Amino acid sequence: MKKQPIFTKILIPLMGLVILEILILMISIYGQGLFSLIHKNSQDIIESRVEARRNYLESLMVNQWMNVSQTVQKINLLADGLVDAGKMDIEAIDDSSENAAPFLSAVSTDLISMMRTNHVTGVFMILNADNLEESMKSKKYMDKPGLYFRDLDPESRASSENLDLLIERSPLLVVRNTQIATDKTWNTSFQFGTADVPYYDFLYEPTQATFYSKPDVTWEDMGFWSKPYTLFGETREAIAYSVPLRLSDGRVYGVLGVDILVDYLKQNLPSRELDGSGTASYFLSIHKSGNSEGSSTSYQDIIQLNSIEATIG
């Protein structure tokens, strides 16, 4: 009988011992739930990053983008003074772009300053003294005068001559006075009636909220975050935050707000911080309270940031 080499005699027991140790290690890992622990730790890391990003975005929205108080108060004081002096008819302010041009020109610098300070991609003011409910229901829309300025890169250094800005909507007088370039879709007014475009919800919701709210409800309580939208003729998608403009006697004469381009919003939600391979993404969810029709509870129709979740796939 041929004898086995010494190497074989030693190797076979060693292999058996290695296999036994591997089995013991696997049993130990599964028995102590190490795989589950590793998975949970990874999940906790993702959740902490999502929570940090949510807090960061919420801070931007509340403390920076929504910071319109000073501008609202300044414009309301100006409007009150002009009405009291008989230099502005608030009921006819939205009849035409020409009627509104002097007032819009007077506040254009304030809007641009607010856009710079808040680091937003757009700022707007739409003049309207009417209850829009019947017009919306009958689909007989009316053109409205106003201003709409855009800054496609709010993080870059601002030009002292506003060469980095675009005008989306404004009377000719504002274009001449500001010397800001007009965008290719520029118009002298918001052409809801001319183009048969329904009123944007950032105009309609705060306006109707003001008409149906109780006297003690402040304009801050009627702030409104819109759904994503595009201006007529444009392809750039944005969300907007708007508040109503009211005289000291409570009469409504328009809305003022800011916009955040969706592309800019995406820059503030970098998915690669979740997964370097680029297979992860953030998911923004919103919650809307109240109903969608103009009513006594419309002032509660505020779209709020509810949560940010991460999806990996």
Side-chain angles (χ1 to χ4, degrees), residues 35-159:
F35 281 127
S36 298
L37 183 61
I38 292 171
H39 178 73
K40 186 178 184 305
N41 287 341
S42 299
Q43 192 174 32
D44 288 343
I45 291 172
I46 294 294
E47 288 179 356
S48 66
R49 289 177 180 174
V50 171
E51 180 70 14
R53 181 56 58 177
R54 186 191 71 84
N55 292 338
Y56 170 73
L57 187 59
E58 187 174 283
S59 177
L60 276 181
M61 295 176 76
V62 174
N63 300 318
Q64 189 167 297
W65 298 345
M66 295 168 61
N67 185 19
V68 300
S69 177
Q70 185 176 352
T71 305
V72 169
Q73 292 172 11
K74 187 174 182 180
I75 292 175
N76 282 341
L77 281 174
L78 175 62
D80 271 322
L82 292 173
V83 170
D84 291 342
K87 296 181 178 180
M88 186 168 73
D89 181 1
I90 206 66
E91 303 300 331
I93 191 66
D94 59 347
D95 286 352
S96 69
S97 183
E98 290 74 20
N99 285 350
F103 179 62
L104 292 174
S105 181
V107 302
S108 59
T109 302
D110 295 316
L111 264 67
I112 293 171
S113 177
M114 183 178 74
M115 180 168 61
R116 300 289 199 194
T117 302
N118 293 16
H119 293 279
V120 291
T121 55
V123 64
F124 58 84
M125 184 169 74
I126 305 177
L127 297 178
N128 169 65
D130 302 318
N131 186 324
L132 301 174
E133 185 173 0
E134 287 302 320
S135 177
M136 195 71 155
K137 287 181 177 179
S138 64
K139 297 184 179 180
K140 294 180 180 178
Y141 314 116
M142 297 172 287
D143 292 353
K144 298 293 179 181
L147 297 172
Y148 206 124
F149 297 105
R150 270 270 167 77
D151 183 353
L152 299 179
D153 187 9
E155 298 303 324
S156 65
R157 185 176 180 179
S159 165

